[in-house]
Amino acid sequence: MPADLNPDGQSVLDAWRGKSVARSREMYWEWRGRIFGHVWNISPILAMRDGPYKLLMNADRSRVELYDITNDRREQHNIADDKPQVVERMSERLLAWQEELPRGPMEAGAGDDAYPWPRPRK
């Protein structure tokens, strides 16, 4: 690996060997495209997992969703309004992480929760 590369992952080799793996750090991801399919699959652009919580949000905060995935594995009960301190703490770290990413293309409509209904034929 290049000397200036700062990997932010965690080995999960033990999980592949059938052993339990405790997460030692949070996980982050960014989705720069629209997600097609069922309406529940339309997600904000950014996500972060930290302990029992998963935060999904757009960088402009037009959408903010927080789930306790240990108790809501299907992510159907957004608790962002009930846990503003958790949202603030996680969103600060998530947005700081996004700033470290290389710039790249962002598909129009990424992070939008409007279902992309097919257009009628003329």
Side-chain angles (χ1 to χ4, degrees), residues 42-48 53-68 72 75-95 110-113:
I42 298 173
S43 178
I45 295 167
L46 299 169
M48 176 184 177
Y53 297 113
K54 181 176 175 185
L55 176 70
L56 297 104
M57 66 182 288
N58 288 333
D60 64 2
R61 298 182 188 241
S62 59
R63 291 180 64 194
V64 177
E65 301 171 17
L66 180 69
Y67 301 98
D68 177 351
D72 181 18
E75 300 175 20
Q76 294 187 359
H77 305 287
N78 182 359
I79 59 171
D81 290 339
D82 300 332
K83 303 273 185 187
Q85 298 88 356
V86 173
V87 169
E88 189 58 32
R89 175 180 53 85
M90 290 179 70
S91 63
E92 285 178 11
R93 294 190 344 234
L94 180 56
L95 293 171
D112 187 1
D113 64 351

Side-chain angles (χ1 to χ4, degrees), residues 26-60:
E26 60 274 343
M27 293 187 322
Y28 300 90
W29 58 100
E30 178 185 56
W31 184 260
R32 296 179 180 186
R34 292 181 299 169
I35 300 173
F36 291 96
H38 194 278
V39 293
W40 288 354
N41 295 336
I42 298 173
S43 178
I45 295 167
L46 299 169
M48 176 184 177
R49 167 78 193 273
D50 188 18
Y53 297 113
K54 181 176 175 185
L55 176 70
L56 297 104
M57 66 182 288
N58 288 333
D60 64 2

